[in-house]
Amino acid sequence: MKDEIQDTKNFLQEISDQLYLYISQVTPAGLDWVVHIIVKLGLLCAVFLIVDFIFKFIINFIFRFFRNDDKFPVIRSIYQSKITNSVAHFSALLVVGAIHPSIFPATALPKTTTFINRAVNLGLVLILAGMLYRSLTAFRNYFTIKQDFYKIMALNAISETVKILGIFIFSVVGICVIFGIKGTTIVGSLGAITAVLVLVFRDTILGFVTGIHVATSKNLKVGDWVSIPKYSIEGNITDISLLTTKITNFDKTVSTIPTYDLLTTEIKNLQVMSESNTRRIKKSIYFNINSFKFLTEEDISRLKEINLISDYLDEKTQEIRKEKESLRHNDKTINGRQLTNIGVFRYYAQKYIENDPDIDKNGAKMVRQLEITPQGLPLEVYCFANDSKWEHFEQIQADIFDHLLVASKEFDLQVMQVSVKV
């Protein structure tokens, strides 16, 4: 066996020597080393492609037995991210690096041998960098299959940071391989510019911290409906990367904000409304204070015809009548409690939203007075619509206020021409 190996090496040595002599004879003086490099690289590339094809065929043949995506989600993620191709490339290049000294001994033009050795080593570094990138993609694909959005955000933050660090590390290693210098020499020289590097990678560091915080706190995820008052943005999050976050607005435009703003800026997550299929109504009607008055007997008799408040008016008029009997000057309207048109209307509005089938029965339902403003007295309706779809919500809200605005005329109330929506 040893004799056969030695015979093979002698045969390759003889071919290499003859090739060296032939190239030296046919090329101009001083350019023979260039032609040698081209010929050697060409032959080694051919060997690489053949060996790489064989390794790919073997690996793909093995992976055929694990095609069930439900049983082997990890294998599926690895295969989709093409890590197997990187493994085949790396193995093939190792084979080329191992057989290169046997095909082209270093005795002839040793500089070309050094060049090719460095080229092979640089190729291994680049393939390892690609393998790292594809491995991170495989992890992300795996959690995408499981639809674990919070882990995807954390993995995105980590993977983007690892990619940037990987680019830096592999760049240093690549430079060391090309020029044949030690990595400590380059790393040592970077100490003087550490502050500059921190400034350059400021957004990267903040994005990494934000991604981990968002993933662990589970406050936001891709697909959530959010509102950012600082930028007047409202829409759905479509992507959270290390540096930027993309939000698709409801007008079909796309807004991009720095990812670290998710940690430092007020963000309203409205997704809970979509998931519960409810949405808050919080809107006010401004009434002219000069239109407020005590209700007379005639007014009360007329308003008793309104079903929602007829029992309320009967109860309150009886209470007020009993209290009046004990008063000294009970002929004065201002003495004692009295029904007012704004108070009765507030009760009517409360009963109206309580009986509205489009209002969520389990949510808060309230009609309240706010602080008096120069525009009048705001009467706020606070409740929750039982449909969170934007177009349906607006229809429900409009129906309520259409009715209340017109119904206020029955109570002799004057609506101001100012309306504020919060």
Side-chain angles (χ1 to χ4, degrees):
M1 185 67 179
K2 291 183 179 179
D3 294 337
E4 293 178 355
I5 294 175
Q6 186 62 39
D7 292 340
T8 303
K9 288 184 178 181
N10 293 335
F11 176 73
L12 293 173
Q13 176 69 41
E14 183 179 353
I15 293 178
S16 178
D17 292 340
Q18 291 178 359
L19 181 62
Y20 170 72
L21 292 174
Y22 176 76
I23 293 174
S24 300
Q25 291 174 357
V26 299
T27 55
L31 296 177
D32 53 345
W33 64 275
V34 178
V35 179
H36 273 87
I37 290 177
I38 295 174
V39 172
K40 287 182 179 182
L41 287 177
L43 291 175
L44 292 176
C45 286
V47 174
F48 171 80
L49 292 175
I50 294 171
V51 176
D52 182 65
F53 175 79
I54 294 172
F55 278 122
K56 281 183 181 179
F57 178 80
I58 295 172
I59 293 173
N60 290 331
F61 179 78
I62 295 173
F63 268 80
R64 288 180 181 177
F65 298 100
F66 304 96
R67 281 189 172 179
N68 193 319
D69 296 337
D70 297 328
K71 291 184 178 179
F72 309 105
V74 176
I75 301 296
R76 175 190 176 186
S77 300
I78 293 174
Y79 191 75
Q80 286 182 340
S81 59
K82 298 182 180 180
I83 296 178
T84 54
N85 290 351
S86 295
V87 174
H89 298 334
F90 189 80
S91 303
L93 199 55
L94 283 177
V95 171
V96 170
I99 67 174
H100 166 248
S102 300
I103 300 177
F104 303 109
T107 54
L109 292 176
K111 291 184 178 180
T112 62
T113 303
T114 302
F115 176 83
I116 292 177
N117 285 336
R118 291 182 179 180
V120 171
N121 292 334
L122 180 61
L124 292 174
V125 171
L126 294 177
I127 291 173
L128 282 175
M131 192 180 298
L132 172 66
Y133 178 84
R134 290 176 175 178
S135 298
L136 295 172
T137 303
F139 277 111
R140 188 162 52 247
N141 290 342
Y142 173 72
F143 288 108
T144 301
I145 294 172
K146 297 178 65 178
Q147 294 185 347
D148 195 334
F149 297 106
Y150 294 111
K151 289 185 178 180
I152 290 174
M153 278 190 296
L155 188 59
N156 281 341
I158 295 172
S159 63
E160 293 293 333
T161 304
V162 171
K163 285 178 185 178
I164 293 175
L165 293 176
I167 290 172
F168 174 75
I169 293 172
F170 283 114
S171 298
V172 172
V173 174
I175 293 173
C176 294
V177 169
I178 293 173
F179 297 100
I181 59 179
K182 294 183 179 180
T184 54
T185 304
I186 297 178
V187 175
S189 64
L190 294 177
I193 58 172
T194 301
V196 177
L197 290 176
V198 172
L199 181 62
V200 170
F201 292 105
R202 170 182 172 272
D203 290 350
T204 301
I205 297 171
L206 291 174
F208 172 75
V209 174
T210 302
I212 297 299
H213 171 76
V214 170
T216 53
S217 63
K218 297 185 178 180
N219 292 328
L220 296 170
K221 66 178 183 296
V222 174
D224 278 1
W225 168 18
V226 297
S227 173
I228 308 178
K230 177 181 177 181
Y231 300 112
S232 300
I233 293 175
E234 183 172 344
N236 296 104
I237 299 175
T238 54
D239 180 61
I240 301 178
S241 63
L242 184 64
L243 298 178
T244 60
T245 296
K246 292 183 180 179
I247 299 173
T248 301
N249 302 305
F250 292 137
D251 59 359
K252 301 304 180 182
T253 59
V254 177
S255 299
T256 303
I257 64 171
T259 296
Y260 60 78
D261 266 3
L262 300 180
L263 193 61
T264 60
T265 304
E266 177 193 3
I267 296 178
K268 294 181 180 180
N269 192 337
L270 308 176
Q271 185 64 22
V272 64
M273 292 195 301
S274 178
E275 293 174 354
S276 63
N277 201 31
T278 59
R279 186 170 180 178
R280 186 185 69 177
I281 296 175
K282 186 181 179 184
K283 191 175 180 180
S284 300
I285 301 174
Y286 282 70
F287 290 103
N288 187 349
I289 298 175
N290 293 324
S291 65
F292 297 170
K293 67 176 183 177
F294 292 123
L295 294 179
T296 63
E297 292 293 336
E298 292 77 11
D299 293 329
I300 295 174
S301 299
R302 176 173 55 83
L303 293 176
K304 281 184 179 181
E305 297 178 1
I306 302 175
N307 293 330
L308 290 177
I309 58 175
S310 59
D311 294 338
Y312 170 79
L313 291 175
D314 286 336
E315 179 183 351
K316 288 299 179 180
T317 51
Q318 291 178 9
E319 291 179 3
I320 292 173
R321 189 177 297 112
K322 290 181 180 180
E323 291 181 6
K324 284 280 188 180
E325 292 175 356
S326 61
L327 295 177
R328 181 178 177 182
H329 298 286
N330 55 18
D331 56 335
K332 280 286 190 179
T333 304
I334 197 172
N335 290 330
R337 287 194 302 159
Q338 296 291 338
L339 291 174
T340 62
N341 58 346
I342 185 64
V344 175
F345 176 76
R346 176 167 49 83
Y347 180 84
Y348 170 79
Q350 178 74 34
K351 300 302 291 184
Y352 180 79
I353 62 173
E354 289 177 357
N355 287 272
D356 193 331
D358 293 322
I359 299 301
D360 181 40
K361 302 303 178 184
N362 298 321
K365 296 177 286 292
M366 178 171 51
V367 179
R368 60 175 182 167
Q369 292 183 5
L370 301 182
E371 292 291 334
I372 297 176
T373 69
Q375 289 78 30
L377 174 70
L379 198 66
E380 182 185 77
V381 175
Y382 188 100
C383 56
F384 292 85
N386 58 15
D387 195 332
S388 63
K389 292 182 179 179
W390 194 5
E391 59 274 18
H392 296 165
F393 166 78
E394 292 294 345
Q395 185 65 41
I396 294 170
Q397 180 176 244
D399 288 343
I400 292 173
F401 282 88
D402 288 347
H403 179 87
L404 293 180
L405 287 168
V406 177
S408 63
K409 295 179 180 179
E410 295 290 328
F411 297 82
D412 299 326
L413 292 170
Q414 182 181 355
V415 178
M416 300 297 290
Q417 299 298 314
V418 177
S419 181
V420 178
K421 182 178 180 182
V422 181

